[in-house]
Every structure is written in C-alpha cells, then in structure tokens.
Amino acid sequence: MIYGKEWQPLCHLCQTVPTFENGLAEKIVLDDGREGIRLSVTLKDHLFWGDGVPVTTKDVVLGYQISTDKRVKGNPGYEEDQTLERIEVVDEKRFDVILNKRIFNYRTAVPSAMPEHLEGEIYRRDPENYDKTSLYTTSPLTAGLYNGPYLIDRMSSGSFVSVVPNPHWKGNAVFFDNLVFKSVENTAALEAHLLSKSVDMIAGESGLTLDQVLRLEQRQKGKYQYHYEPGLLYEHLDVNLENPHLAKKAFRQGLLLSINRQQLVNQLFEGKQIVAHTDTSPRDIGYSDDVTQYEYAPEKAKALFQQAGYRWQGKDMVDADGKPVQIELMTTAGNKTRELVQQVLQSQWKKMGITIRINNQPARVFFGQTLKERNHKGLALFAWYSAPESPPETTLHSENIPTEANNWGGQNYAGYKNADMDALLDEIETELDADKREALFANIQRIYAEDLPALPLYFRADSFVLPLWLKGVTPTGHMFPSTHWVEEWHR
C-alpha cells in the first residue's frame, strides 16, 4: 500500500483500498477488550511473480511475519507494523487484516507480499540473519522475487540495475524493453553523465539538486524537459543530543538564530526552496504556521548562548571550562550542494565564535552505518522524505531511538526524548476525527519548534531533467517515487 499521485492511498496488489465508507473497513473490539479495525482485502486477479508463480495470500502472510519480527535486523517497518495484530486468511485471494488500534491511517495498514515459495524457508530457518541470507541479498537476479512490470536482469552493486519486462505481468503493457538505473553518488559526475548522453534522464527524487538543475536549464534551455515539484523532502540538521553542547535547548535555539536561512535559500536556490520552521511542509495536511519561527537574530542568539553557560574569549566562544566550542558537521560526500550549505553554515557560525569541523562520508556509509548506529558526533545534514499526513513517530518517538538492543531499529537518530511528544504521537495515531487530528498535528509542530530535536533548514523541490521525447513520468512530491508507475512511461 502506497500513496498515489493524488496523495491518496493506493494499493498496487489489491482490488480496492478498504475504507469505512465502502464497507471494507469496520471498527471491532478484540477479545481482550482493545478497540481495533478489521480490513477486508482482495488481491487482484492475474498477479504473478516473475517466475510465473501466482501471488496469493501465503505471500501476504510471509510479508506480515517478516515485517513484525523483531529478530530481523534493521527491520525498517517493525515499529509501524506492530499495529498489525494478525492476518486472517479467507482463501488464496482474500484476507482480513486485524489492527490492534483504531489508527487514522488504517487504509495504508496492508502488509506487503513476499514470495513464500522462495523466501519462506530462508526466513524461517534463521530469522536473525535473514537480512544477509535473503535472496534479495544473495541472488537478486532471481526472477521470482518481483511481481511488477519489470524484472532485474543485470546489476552491479553501487553502480547500476538493469531491468527487463516481466513476461508474467498482466497489467498495462510496458513500452520500453530495457531500463537501466545508474547509481552515481557524486552529483557533479551525475550531470556529466547526462551531458555525455550516458544517461537519458535524472529523476528528481534522488538526483541533481535544485540549484544544479537551475544552472543546467540556463545552459541547456530547450534541450530537456525541466520540472520542479514542491514536496515533502525536508532538509535539516539532525543533532546528537548526547553531545554536551547540543544537549542544551538554548544552545540549539541559538544555533538556529545564528544562521540566515532565507539568505541561504535565496543565494543557492533562487528563493525556490521554502524555509522550514518544523518538519511539516506547508503543502502537507495538518500544517500549522502557529509555531516559533527563528528569523536571523544574532544578538538574540548571543543571549541564549550566554543563558546556556557560554562566553567569549576574543573571537572564540568557550564553555564554562574555558574550552573553545567545536561541533562536527557531517553530510554525504560528493553532494556539491550540501557541501556548499555546509560552507555557508560554517561561515555564519564562525561569526559567533563556533568552530565547525566538517567530516563527510560516502552515502552508503553515512546512511548505512553512521546514522543508523548513531555515530554522528554533532550535526548531520540530510533530508527526510515522508508520506502525506505522516506523523513523525519513527524520527521523534523515544521508543524509536536506535540501539544495539533493538538491532538499530527506528530513525530517532537524535536520541530525542519528550514525554509530551510521545503522548501526542501515540494519541494522533488513533484519532479518527480529522479536526481533532489537525489540532494534534499543530501541537506536535509547536513542541518541535521549541525543542528543536533537529535544526530545520528548508523543504526541497524535486527537480526532474527529462529528455524531450519521454512522456508519462508523473512526479509526486512525496516519498513514493514516479517509478511506481513506470509502465506509463513511453515515447
């Protein structure tokens, strides 16, 4: 279950999204008295894995078992899927999902399907090491792992993935006989690939940044299609709250007041990025502008730093022990725009007497290990994508702080703990009334703006560069990319 192009839930594999209105969702009371929801789901006819085996409810049950198993390391959906109480199979195509809470986003609580005939025994044999033994890891060219319009036929880890049509796909016929998705970590190299014709298009979800595309359009006007899709991509600075400086709220507030974010957006992005005040985009459902907004105010910042116990020796800010204040700032190596942002931040904080030490890493290390295991020492510059009307539970709830004990699950990399925030996140999840939910969203944003578990920078626009002959690509602006409708791409 994903969000579609119109920002509404969409089911790729089932016939109809279950709702209270269409009768496929109903409120129930579980045997132990808890209030829950039952979703009645029917898989589409003529669904097949790439080896010709039909997609059935057995595959959905396996997907449910894996996603709710805490033994599976690095399980990204574990916390969210704890709402799934059980799956009740009716027949090979029909099943009921029993939810143990009355959650407002119940429509998206349908588990993904996994190929039981290939992955079932591997998972059951060794759940703790399933992330290493799965065929998706050990033999990703296995056709039966996929049920969409394309199958992977060639790949080189960290380099490219080549796909060809799935002969058992019964949906809309695909136009292209082969698509190659290239992975290029360095954005300057990515632009070179485009101009040398070694790639035809650059998707906006994870390609060139807006400033690069703006410059490219100036130089290559009329040679490509350019599209800028405002979205939910939230560029920010994740803090490590175990850092003795960043642990102080007044210090974090002072940091944000010390940088001119509007000037940064104007200079680097021609004003086309929206300055962020919280992690909720003005385009999103539940957005509130009734929050503390940190305009550039260096004198106010100095007062907050002094309140937090800092003073100045010459041009250097020092702590209570007289030690100069140094903060590590990390991001993805090779991303020229983020490196420019780092330089702006470094320069502006230097005016406050704060030394910023830049320490960048390749994306696969930065995201795959450093953030996941909370090894960043100070500030981490990156972006979050989200679905529409998505409470930030995985990034802000204290239960989602990654630890060795929970196999580094969750995305609360800051280590943020606030009982009021936890209570709001718990409450909003189960609030079915839209007006009450909007008020809860507003309170979440107010606490966020006060506590600053991350320092908000701006909301990015997805910037697409497409060949003139390519049609059917529809940017979404949220976390589910345009490739979900790749069968619609054509000349």
Side-chain angles (χ1 to χ4, degrees):
M1 189 75 73
I2 68 170
Y3 276 85
K5 293 178 283 188
E6 304 302 325
W7 291 43
Q8 293 297 319
L10 171 72
C11 188
H12 275 314
L13 300 185
C14 58
Q15 292 183 3
T16 307
V17 175
T19 68
F20 294 129
E21 290 75 17
N22 64 22
L24 295 177
E26 61 173 333
K27 299 174 184 177
I28 61 172
V29 177
L30 303 179
D31 293 340
D32 59 4
R34 288 176 297 167
E35 295 182 334
I37 298 176
R38 178 188 297 274
L39 308 177
S40 298
V41 185
T42 302
L43 295 173
K44 292 178 180 177
D45 295 328
H46 310 302
L47 286 173
F48 296 92
W49 298 102
D51 55 7
V53 174
V55 177
T56 71
T57 48
K58 290 182 180 179
D59 305 311
V60 177
V61 170
L62 178 64
Y64 157 74
Q65 290 172 340
I66 292 173
S67 70
T68 56
D69 191 341
K70 67 179 180 181
R71 297 172 298 177
V72 177
K73 294 178 182 177
N75 200 337
Y78 172 73
E79 293 296 337
E80 183 177 343
D81 286 346
Q82 294 310 295
T83 306
L84 305 179
E85 178 75 8
R86 64 181 182 273
I87 302 293
E88 294 180 352
V89 173
V90 179
D91 55 36
E92 285 195 343
K93 290 293 182 181
R94 294 181 297 157
F95 63 96
D96 290 348
V97 181
I98 308 301
L99 306 182
N100 55 33
K101 293 180 182 178
R102 292 185 179 175
I103 56 173
F104 80 88
N105 56 348
Y106 68 91
R107 296 175 296 171
T108 64
V110 178
S112 300
M114 295 283 282
E116 163 65 36
H117 65 292
L118 296 177
E119 292 287 295
E121 183 56 36
I122 297 173
Y123 157 70
R124 288 186 287 271
R125 187 186 308 128
D126 189 2
E128 290 84 357
N129 291 299
Y130 177 66
D131 61 322
K132 299 183 182 69
T133 59
S134 165
L135 292 178
Y136 288 101
T137 301
T138 63
S139 186
L141 303 188
T142 304
L145 297 175
Y146 313 103
N147 57 42
Y150 285 96
L151 309 175
I152 298 177
D153 72 321
R154 292 180 300 119
M155 68 175 294
S156 175
S157 181
S159 179
F160 75 91
V161 175
S162 171
V163 299
V164 295
N166 178 359
H168 302 285
W169 169 252
K170 304 300 180 183
N172 294 335
V174 299
F175 183 90
F176 297 103
D177 293 331
N178 179 227
L179 296 172
V180 178
F181 297 89
K182 290 189 175 182
S183 175
V184 183
E185 290 187 350
N186 186 301
T187 52
L190 181 56
E191 183 175 340
H193 276 270
L194 178 75
L195 298 179
S196 68
K197 308 297 183 183
S198 64
V199 300
D200 294 306
M201 67 168 281
I202 297 177
E205 295 93 353
S206 59
L208 295 176
T209 54
L210 183 142
D211 61 307
Q212 291 173 301
V213 177
L214 288 171
R215 293 196 302 268
L216 181 68
E217 184 174 10
Q218 291 175 354
R219 301 193 310 269
Q220 303 286 329
K221 196 170 185 66
K223 295 184 178 180
Y224 296 95
Q225 302 177 66
Y226 303 93
H227 181 88
Y228 306 95
E229 183 70 19
L232 303 182
L233 195 58
Y234 169 55
E235 195 82 16
H236 68 288
L237 294 160
D238 241 35
V239 305
N240 187 328
L241 291 172
E242 293 177 2
N243 180 294
H245 305 303
L246 297 171
K248 302 173 183 178
K249 181 167 68 174
F251 185 87
R252 299 194 299 274
Q253 293 175 337
L255 282 179
L256 198 53
L257 288 166
S258 302
I259 54 177
N260 192 331
R261 292 173 294 159
Q262 188 61 59
Q263 183 186 73
L264 184 151
V265 165
N266 291 342
Q267 289 181 347
L268 297 184
F269 312 115
E270 298 184 12
K272 293 184 182 295
Q273 312 273 43
I274 302 172
V275 170
H277 301 294
T278 70
D279 63 342
T280 304
S281 166
R283 187 178 176 185
D284 199 5
I285 302 168
Y287 167 75
S288 173
D289 60 3
D290 183 22
V291 300
T292 300
Q293 299 188 7
Y294 297 83
E295 306 297 340
Y296 179 53
E299 292 303 317
K300 188 175 180 180
K302 286 182 180 179
L304 283 169
F305 286 133
Q306 290 173 328
Q307 176 185 323
Y310 296 88
R311 54 192 174 85
W312 284 264
Q313 288 184 352
K315 294 183 179 180
D316 294 331
M317 180 189 293
V318 298
D319 62 16
D321 296 325
K323 295 179 180 178
V325 177
Q326 296 187 14
I327 303 291
E328 180 184 81
L329 173 56
M330 305 184 75
T331 194
T332 46
N335 186 313
K336 297 302 182 185
T337 299
R338 283 185 176 149
E339 290 171 354
L340 284 173
V341 171
Q342 281 183 312
Q343 292 168 21
V344 172
L345 298 176
Q346 186 181 46
S347 174
Q348 294 193 357
W349 280 325
K350 184 178 181 179
K351 295 176 182 178
M352 278 289 165
I354 299 172
T355 298
I356 297 297
R357 185 170 61 86
I358 292 175
N359 177 22
N360 295 340
Q361 294 179 332
R364 62 183 179 276
V365 178
F366 183 62
F367 294 115
Q369 184 174 352
T370 300
L371 284 175
K372 183 179 176 181
E373 297 182 4
R374 300 187 61 235
N375 286 329
H376 59 301
K377 306 301 181 185
L379 299 168
L381 171 61
F382 65 101
W384 282 124
Y385 241 147
S386 65
E389 197 177 12
S390 180
E393 181 177 2
T394 62
T395 57
L396 295 182
H397 201 293
S398 62
E399 292 182 356
N400 289 325
I401 298 173
T403 65
E404 188 173 3
N406 65 16
N407 285 323
W408 308 111
Q411 296 168 319
N412 185 346
Y413 302 141
Y416 176 63
K417 298 178 183 179
N418 181 312
D420 291 336
M421 179 66 83
D422 284 352
L424 284 168
L425 291 170
D426 290 338
E427 184 178 359
I428 198 170
E429 183 184 29
T430 59
E431 181 54 68
L432 300 179
D433 183 275
D435 291 335
K436 293 180 180 179
R437 199 161 61 247
E438 185 173 346
L440 293 172
F441 264 116
N443 286 334
I444 288 172
Q445 291 165 71
R446 290 188 191 102
I447 293 177
Y448 192 103
E450 171 67 21
D451 283 0
L452 296 180
L455 305 185
L457 293 179
Y458 49 84
F459 291 98
R460 282 167 43 186
D462 292 341
S463 306
F464 287 74
V465 184
L466 311 175
L468 298 176
W469 46 262
L470 181 60
K471 307 298 178 185
V473 178
T474 306
T476 66
H478 55 65
M479 68 180 292
F480 297 103
S482 52
T483 48
H484 276 286
W485 299 271
V486 68
E487 70 271 23
E488 298 177 2
W489 295 10
H490 63 279
R491 284 185 180 272

